[in-house]
């Protein structure tokens, strides 16, 4: 059974930084970060393949960095220059087949419980 456990969320002022972590029970999967704000649809933030290839939503390019530590089976999302619009529940997700993208969240079969990020102005 695939398990994904996020951590690292919290409250920060605009312009600040946070690093999210996702401890995974799998490796060699395409991994992604998604977020969902109240009243909004879940949106893709970033993804990383087993070969290290990455993809980002335009709204976070240049501010967020996705990475992974294969030895620890841990996924990270470094978030810098945070804005109030980044406030959301952030979820880690895994796709075994490497088909899903950040534009197709339903393609990710496995999801964590989420960690809240709140950015105040």
């Amino acid at each position: 059974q695939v398990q994904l456990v996020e951590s690292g969320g919290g409250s920060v002022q605009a312009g600040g930084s946070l690093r999210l972590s996702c401890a995974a029970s799998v490796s060699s999967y395409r991994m992604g970060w998604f977020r969902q704000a109240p009243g909004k649809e879940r949106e893709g933030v970033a993804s990383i393949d087993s070969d290290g290839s990455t993809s980002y939503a335009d709204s976070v390019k240049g501010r967020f960095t996705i990475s992974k530590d294969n030895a620890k089976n841990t996924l990270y999302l470094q978030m810098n220059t945070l804005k109030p619009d980044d406030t959301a529940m952030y979820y880690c997700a895994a796709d075994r087949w490497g088909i899903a993208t950040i534009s197709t969240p339903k393609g990710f079969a496995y999801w964590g419980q989420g960690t809240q990020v709140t950015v105040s102005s």
Side-chain angles (χ1 to χ4, degrees):
Q1 184 176 357
V2 176
Q3 292 186 328
L4 304 171
V5 180
E6 303 96 334
S7 61
S11 297
V12 65
Q13 289 190 330
S17 298
L18 283 173
R19 188 177 80 156
L20 305 183
S21 299
C22 172
S25 62
V26 294
S27 59
S28 301
Y29 282 34
R30 174 172 289 177
M31 304 294 293
W33 285 101
F34 293 80
R35 65 187 182 186
Q36 187 167 19
K40 295 187 177 181
E41 292 187 355
R42 189 169 296 189
E43 64 171 342
V45 175
S47 67
I48 187 166
D49 287 348
S50 57
D51 65 358
S53 301
T54 58
S55 179
Y56 294 92
D58 288 343
S59 58
V60 306
K61 280 181 181 176
R63 299 189 299 123
F64 290 11
T65 302
I66 189 171
S67 62
K68 60 180 181 174
D69 184 330
N70 291 325
K72 296 181 179 179
N73 277 359
T74 301
L75 178 72
Y76 301 102
L77 184 68
Q78 178 67 44
M79 305 186 295
N80 298 329
T81 319
L82 282 161
K83 304 175 182 179
D85 284 349
D86 295 318
T87 295
M89 185 72 78
Y90 282 70
Y91 298 91
C92 170
D95 167 34
R96 179 178 182 180
W97 307 112
I99 297 174
T101 71
I102 57 174
S103 299
T104 57
K106 291 184 178 180
F108 285 81
Y110 308 103
W111 293 83
Q113 294 300 306
T115 185
Q116 178 67 38
V117 171
T118 302
V119 184
S120 59
S121 57

